[in-house]
Amino acid sequence: MTNYGIIMYAGERGVFVDDVQANTNIMYTQEQAKNEYDKGNYSTACDIYRELWENSDKRNQYLLSWYGQCLRKIGDNTSFIDICDNLLNAGQQLNKYVVNLFCWCIYDCFIKNYSVENTDDFLCFLQRADYIAKNSQQLGLDYEPKNPFVLTIKKVVKILKNRASINYKEIITWLTKLNPDILSEEVFSFTDFTGKNRELASSKEFYYANLAKAYEKTEQYLESVRICETALVKIKKFHHRNHLWIKARLYYCKCMAQEDFDTAIAEYKDIATKENFWFMFHKLALIYFRNNKITEALLYANKAYGDRFEHEKMVNLLLDTAVLWQSNGNNENAKVFFQASAYYRKRHGWSIPQELKFAIVDLSLDVTKPPSIHQIEKIAKQYVEKVEGIAQVFTGTVLSILPQGHAGFIKTQQQNVNIYFKIKDVEGLPVVKGNSVTYQVSQTKDGRSIAVKIKKRG
């Protein structure tokens, strides 16, 4: 307070101040501090509250809560944390207002900007997050920003997802602290550092998407199915195309749980073919492999490389493709994919599964040598082209012929979706609206599905 030229003396109801320059006596009170706070003079208010607190018996928590709010306004959260820690260590209980502010200060200092690179502080990060979760509560839709409960849990889940070794069971533990029915459905809009307007999914969507994935990864497939089905009912508007990922996970988990397998595999295959994402083809390969259908599994594993080669993200796909090539009796191709998976894992210091360790020794792999992406893509393309000749045949009904007569749409038998076709791809007898047909599915250059080799039935 020396910058104000004043000396303070403790009084019973406030703090007496000698103004050295004006030679007058002033009594500062909580009311005056509050007035300064209301005017936005947070530093001045904080100075008054500090003197009031330091000259008190440290039991007035109404005073402490206002002092804490001022400290937070001027960015001095750590001072408030120290005060609360000292009171707790002395056995003094904090009231709900002070605790709420204490939780906010912990969030601001230790949770909000925590980075996955801070590996040394991870346990402390979790302990502080756990304190917030235990000492605040989830509020209703309109009050979600009132305390850091939801923000803290979302941050913990994000950190757990980005660690080198992801603990999906821990993610489930944290997410199940939330009540999805009172999570916000508002999309979060913000401007990034480049000035571009961006959006993040709502808290409710964050909950369902991450919980469904965690259940899938822990092989609790029926739980994942339940979460996906609930999400598709509860969420009125999905951010971007996120409903597609929920549907894809739903069909995949139904397949893995062997629940109405034929319908589920048809639905998953349709969405994978339409979206043309490599990770969906990878999952199709896993489904077929689980059902001992090696040819189909190898087909979809190799189709995954036709999208784009994302080296580090594909380490598990590369390993699975190698195992499939081995199961198919082709050790030369298996060696190429084993080596690529081992190289990217080694380069990033990631763990190497026992199966891959065995392959490295057995096949004398050089894990320091960068793989040939061109060779991987060539092997994959050749196999897909070879097997596509015996591609799966679907059935459907001609829904319409476009006015020009050059193309139309087929309604699939597997689900209520339409697939485009060109008249030139009809083989044998011509087709008209209402005809039952068989067809195969191909991809256009831009990744869209199209019916080919169309034949009229009967």
Side-chain angles (χ1 to χ4, degrees):
M1 294 290 289
T2 53
N3 57 324
Y4 292 98
I6 56 182
I7 304 172
M8 293 191 168
Y9 304 93
E12 291 182 2
R13 300 178 60 190
V15 176
F16 289 104
V17 182
D18 260 347
D19 190 313
V20 178
Q21 295 177 347
N23 195 28
T24 57
N25 289 328
I26 304 172
M27 180 180 178
Y28 277 128
T29 65
Q30 291 186 51
E31 182 179 357
Q32 289 174 308
K34 179 65 166 55
N35 288 337
E36 294 295 331
Y37 181 93
D38 291 341
K39 289 187 288 186
N41 299 328
Y42 302 122
S43 294
T44 302
C46 196
D47 287 339
I48 298 172
Y49 278 126
R50 180 182 295 109
E51 293 296 336
L52 289 168
W53 174 254
E54 289 178 355
N55 289 282
S56 72
D57 61 2
K58 308 295 190 295
R59 293 189 177 279
N60 186 342
Q61 296 204 12
Y62 175 80
L63 169 62
L64 178 58
S65 66
W66 278 106
Y67 179 26
Q69 288 183 64
C70 282
L71 286 169
R72 189 168 181 241
K73 284 288 187 182
I74 65 172
D76 191 7
N77 295 18
T78 54
S79 291
F80 186 71
I81 291 173
D82 290 341
I83 292 170
C84 292
D85 280 338
N86 290 335
L87 292 175
L88 290 170
N89 291 334
Q92 187 170 332
Q93 289 190 336
L94 307 179
N95 69 23
K96 64 180 182 179
Y97 303 106
V98 174
V99 168
N100 188 55
L101 187 58
F102 186 33
C103 288
W104 268 122
C105 289
I106 294 172
Y107 174 81
D108 290 340
C109 289
F110 304 112
I111 307 297
K112 182 179 180 179
N113 295 316
Y114 183 84
S115 169
V116 73
E117 282 78 24
N118 300 345
T119 53
D120 294 340
D121 300 332
F122 181 63
L123 290 179
C124 289
F125 165 78
L126 285 183
Q127 289 170 353
R128 287 161 175 154
D130 187 58
Y131 179 88
I132 293 174
K134 288 178 177 176
N135 290 277
S136 57
Q137 60 182 338
Q138 185 179 350
L139 303 174
L141 296 175
D142 297 332
Y143 301 97
E144 190 172 295
K146 292 293 184 181
N147 70 42
F149 183 87
V150 174
L151 290 171
T152 297
I153 291 175
K154 288 173 67 176
K155 180 68 175 187
V156 171
V157 171
K158 290 175 184 176
I159 293 298
L160 290 170
K161 283 169 54 182
N162 288 303
R163 284 173 60 80
S165 179
I166 304 175
N167 188 334
Y168 285 103
K169 289 184 178 179
E170 188 77 4
I171 289 175
I172 292 171
T173 298
W174 279 92
L175 283 173
T176 49
K177 296 177 188 290
L178 296 170
N179 177 357
D181 291 336
I182 57 172
L183 283 173
S184 172
E185 292 190 41
E186 291 296 319
V187 172
F188 178 68
S189 301
F190 66 101
T191 303
D192 66 16
F193 67 94
T194 65
K196 185 178 180 180
N197 293 328
R198 298 175 65 86
E199 290 185 342
L200 293 177
S202 68
S203 294
K204 182 171 286 190
E205 191 173 323
F206 177 91
Y207 167 87
Y208 281 114
N210 285 286
L211 188 56
K213 181 177 182 178
Y215 278 131
E216 176 204 316
K217 294 296 184 180
T218 54
E219 299 185 3
Q220 299 180 69
Y221 298 118
L222 289 179
E223 278 300 302
S224 186
V225 167
R226 179 181 65 82
I227 292 297
C228 290
E229 288 177 339
T230 304
L232 292 169
V233 172
K234 294 280 189 179
I235 300 175
K236 299 177 181 66
K237 183 180 179 181
F238 282 89
H239 177 242
H240 194 42
R241 303 170 71 208
N242 289 354
H243 65 288
L244 292 173
W245 316 138
I246 292 287
K247 284 185 177 180
R249 181 156 284 118
L250 170 65
Y251 302 146
Y252 171 75
C253 288
K254 279 187 174 182
C255 292
M256 298 303 281
Q258 301 294 308
E259 188 176 86
D260 194 5
F261 179 80
D262 290 338
T263 300
I265 191 69
E267 290 173 326
Y268 191 73
K269 190 184 298 182
D270 185 75
I271 200 169
T273 304
K274 281 183 176 179
E275 300 305 323
N276 200 35
F277 286 114
W278 69 264
F279 53 85
M280 289 187 176
F281 288 129
H282 183 195
K283 285 189 173 182
L284 268 174
L286 294 175
I287 293 168
Y288 278 117
F289 187 52
R290 183 186 177 98
N291 287 271
N292 201 32
K293 296 183 177 181
I294 304 301
T295 301
E296 293 89 342
L298 195 51
L299 169 65
Y300 285 104
N302 282 290
K303 281 177 79 74
Y305 301 100
D307 178 19
R308 59 181 180 276
F309 201 95
E310 297 183 294
H311 319 88
E312 288 79 3
K313 293 181 181 180
M314 286 180 163
V315 289
N316 291 328
L317 170 63
L318 290 163
L319 176 57
D320 291 337
T321 309
V323 172
L324 287 168
W325 276 119
Q326 249 187 357
S327 301
N328 201 44
N330 191 324
N331 286 326
E332 283 303 310
N333 284 351
K335 186 174 181 179
V336 172
F337 288 86
F338 274 130
Q339 193 274 334
S341 181
Y343 170 80
Y344 292 119
R345 286 178 180 274
K346 186 77 173 177
R347 190 173 79 173
H348 290 281
W350 296 338
S351 62
I352 297 180
Q354 192 61 41
E355 190 171 28
L356 185 53
K357 287 180 180 178
F358 178 80
I360 291 171
V361 175
D362 187 53
L363 301 173
S364 301
L365 300 179
D366 180 3
V367 299
T368 64
K369 179 183 176 182
S372 169
I373 297 173
H374 174 72
Q375 185 182 16
I376 290 171
E377 291 178 331
K378 182 179 178 181
I379 291 171
K381 184 179 179 181
Q382 286 178 343
Y383 185 78
V384 170
E385 289 177 347
K386 175 183 175 182
V387 177
E388 287 282 89
I390 53 171
Q392 185 172 356
V393 177
F394 297 93
T395 58
T397 304
V398 177
L399 183 67
S400 63
I401 304 293
L402 298 180
Q404 296 86 354
H406 298 300
F409 287 93
I410 296 170
K411 183 177 181 180
T412 68
Q413 191 177 68
Q414 284 72 22
Q415 59 177 357
N416 293 324
V417 295
N418 306 328
I419 187 168
Y420 179 78
F421 76 96
K422 295 180 180 179
I423 294 295
K424 68 180 181 64
D425 290 321
V426 175
E427 299 177 355
L429 297 173
V431 297
V432 296
K433 181 179 178 180
N435 284 162
S436 178
V437 296
T438 61
Y439 63 94
Q440 295 179 16
V441 176
S442 182
Q443 254 70 54
T444 61
K445 289 183 179 180
D446 59 0
R448 291 182 297 119
S449 297
I450 184 171
V452 296
K453 298 185 178 180
I454 303 137
K455 296 178 181 179
K456 184 178 178 180
R457 298 180 70 196

